[in-house]
Amino acid sequence: MLLKIVGMFFVALAFIGAFLPLLPTTPFLLVAAACFAKSSPRLYNMLLANKVFGPLIYHWQQSRCIPKRAKVLALSSMVVAVLWSGYILPTIWLKVLVVALVVWPFIFLWRLPTSNSNL
């Protein structure tokens, strides 16, 4: 029961992350898939059957790499979000905070192996 609740929490975070540029979507869905795989085959299959995120999760589970198109899209959206945030934020400290929060996820995504398949 706890894994189902944790999985639903991460699905909610992923949903929010689909609309907020600084909040990642795919890592939250991977955590949710891991929780559902151990607790609820029905929810796990529903997540894999999703037209948008299902192929990414399946691809990650099979080959531990992400498609090149998804990587380029994720990295470029992070850069655009940081640049936009730097433009609209009023103080230098907030700008530095945004950059600091994005550096590790950017490096993590940059270092992930890529595949040539484009889903």
Side-chain angles (χ1 to χ4, degrees):
M1 182 67 167
L2 180 63
L3 285 176
K4 283 184 190 179
I5 293 170
V6 171
M8 294 302 282
F9 173 73
F10 279 105
V11 167
L13 283 178
F15 180 76
I16 293 168
F19 299 103
L20 295 177
L22 292 178
L23 194 63
T25 301
T26 306
F28 292 140
L29 288 174
L30 293 175
V31 172
C35 291
F36 292 153
K38 294 195 180 275
S39 65
S40 174
R42 183 179 65 84
L43 291 173
Y44 177 73
N45 289 331
M46 283 177 56
L47 198 56
L48 285 180
N50 183 287
K51 290 180 182 178
V52 176
F53 302 116
L56 285 170
I57 295 168
Y58 180 78
H59 198 275
W60 174 260
Q61 290 175 338
Q62 295 302 315
S63 63
R64 292 290 190 241
C65 60
I66 61 173
K68 187 175 184 176
R69 181 173 180 252
K71 186 176 188 175
V72 169
L73 184 64
L75 292 173
S76 59
S77 67
M78 289 171 77
V79 168
V80 168
V82 167
L83 291 174
W84 178 251
S85 296
Y87 175 72
I88 65 170
L89 289 174
T91 65
I92 190 71
W93 300 110
L94 290 174
K95 294 174 185 183
V96 170
L97 179 64
V98 167
V99 171
L101 289 173
V102 173
V103 166
W104 185 85
F106 187 90
I107 292 171
F108 175 79
L109 267 173
W110 182 270
R111 296 186 60 179
L112 279 178
T114 58
S115 68
N116 291 328
S117 69
N118 283 327
L119 295 179

